[in-house]
Amino acid sequence: MPAAPNRRAIAVILLVPLIVTLSLWSFSWPAARIAPRDLPVGVAGPAAAAGQLQKQFEQRAGTFEIHRYDDEAAARDAIEERVVYGAVVVTEEGPRLLTASAASPVVSQLLTEAAKGAAPPGTAVPVTDVVAAPEADPRGAALGASILPLALAGVAAGALVTVLRLRGTKAAVALVGAAGLVGVAATALTHSWLGVMAGDWWTEAGVVGLTVLAVSSGVGGLAALFGSKGIGVGALLMVLLGNSFSGVTSAPELLPEPVGTIGQWLPPGAGGSLLRSVAFFDGAAAGGAALTLAVWAVLGLAAVLTGGRRRQPDADNPAGLPGRRREPVLTD
């Protein structure tokens, strides 16, 4: 009957524009609304002068989250510990700006413009890059571009274990093994060849592998619990939302709320933040992102293991997907 093909044609006509619209929204809207929102910034120096500078920053309500420090050394420590993105130090010669382009080149440029705007007219504001981005990637473009391939690798691994009908322990071992190899290969490319990361090699490989595992086990777990539809839901979470909301090309605090927060709850955003910490800041402020990735990986693998036991394949449904159950055949 032609009814079914007609319905499928209508579904294609409606779904393709919907998917394109959702993709444009998830990628274009955050990019078009980039602006500082409670961006952590330090102010250091004598109380009177630093207090006056703080008031100038606070005039832009909701833009900056000001942290006060006694001197430049304390401000540098806060930058290296990823408490703030930069700091303005008030000295007898005038204000000085400390930045960390490794944390976000976009934020460093924004803080430079803000500090010059807050200084008296004609006053030069020297800029010191406390934690500089590597010479091979001064704009952070390579690191920012690396998160999407990792998300795609994770989605592909989670989908493959479903398509190949791997169940339970075999599926979990395949996901862990694939993630580990991706971590080694990606680190060899980005650290050893391109030189865009400068941390401990094996730590970086572990972070990359954990990021891929969090994505792949999330997708595989959803597929184990809900069938092939789980792959689509997982891809939506990890690629359309996770990658575009990650803030890795700018900073989570530059994205509109609650996009920046949501992005850090998903593996691509958490993976990007953790990779910056281990690649440039000796692991500072890595705890939250590492916990997020670990939770995704553990819950995903648990779903793969439990879902594999519940959804055993049979002759009529070899993939173990939901559908009509085979009725028993009664014989005399």
Side-chain angles (χ1 to χ4, degrees):
M1 295 179 64
N6 288 343
R7 285 196 296 269
R8 289 195 291 266
I10 293 173
V12 171
I13 293 171
L14 295 178
L15 283 176
V16 171
L18 178 62
I19 293 173
V20 171
T21 301
L22 180 60
S23 301
L24 288 174
W25 168 79
S26 64
F27 282 91
S28 301
W29 173 56
R33 297 291 184 269
I34 285 181
R37 296 169 175 86
D38 293 325
L39 187 72
V41 177
V43 173
Q52 184 177 2
L53 181 61
Q54 179 176 347
K55 289 180 180 179
Q56 292 180 342
F57 277 107
E58 290 176 343
Q59 289 177 355
R60 301 171 64 178
T63 300
F64 298 106
E65 178 186 286
I66 305 300
H67 297 245
R68 286 287 295 272
Y69 300 102
D70 293 334
D71 52 29
E72 179 176 340
R76 283 177 174 268
D77 290 341
I79 293 173
E80 292 171 351
E81 293 169 3
R82 300 202 72 185
V83 176
V84 294
Y85 281 92
V88 180
V89 182
V90 180
T91 68
E92 295 180 355
E93 293 78 18
R96 295 180 53 200
L97 177 63
L98 307 178
T99 66
S101 60
S104 171
V106 175
V107 171
S108 294
Q109 181 62 34
L110 185 151
L111 291 180
T112 301
E113 296 174 358
K116 291 180 179 179
T123 302
V125 180
V127 179
T128 301
D129 201 345
V130 177
V131 186
E135 294 182 2
D137 188 28
R139 296 179 178 84
L143 181 64
S146 66
I147 298 303
L148 178 57
L150 298 183
L152 292 175
V155 171
L160 280 173
V161 297
T162 304
V163 173
L164 296 177
R165 304 173 187 173
L166 298 178
R167 297 288 183 268
T169 304
K170 291 183 179 179
V173 170
L175 292 175
V176 173
L181 288 178
V182 170
V184 171
T187 306
L189 178 66
T190 56
H191 183 120
S192 302
W193 182 42
L194 297 177
V196 299
M197 294 195 295
D200 178 75
W201 199 97
W202 285 107
T203 303
E204 293 169 351
V207 169
V208 173
L210 180 59
T211 301
V212 175
L213 179 61
V215 175
S216 63
S217 60
V219 174
L222 288 170
L225 295 176
F226 304 110
S228 57
K229 294 180 181 178
I231 298 176
V233 174
L236 174 69
L237 282 174
M238 303 302 177
V239 178
L240 285 186
L241 298 184
N243 183 71
S244 57
F245 290 5
S246 67
V248 69
T249 58
S250 54
E253 294 85 358
L254 298 186
L255 301 180
E257 286 295 344
V259 167
T261 301
I262 293 174
Q264 296 306 298
W265 291 344
L266 296 172
S273 295
L274 184 56
L275 194 56
R276 281 193 189 280
S277 289
V278 301
F280 307 117
F281 294 89
D282 294 326
L291 178 61
T292 298
L293 293 176
V295 168
W296 274 97
V298 169
L299 293 180
L301 291 175
V304 168
L305 292 171
T306 58
R309 294 192 186 99
R310 291 190 331 167
R311 305 169 61 81
Q312 293 298 325
D314 55 41
D316 291 340
N317 187 15
L321 301 178
R324 294 182 58 188
R325 298 181 59 184
R326 183 178 61 180
E327 298 297 333
V329 177
L330 301 179
T331 60
D332 294 335

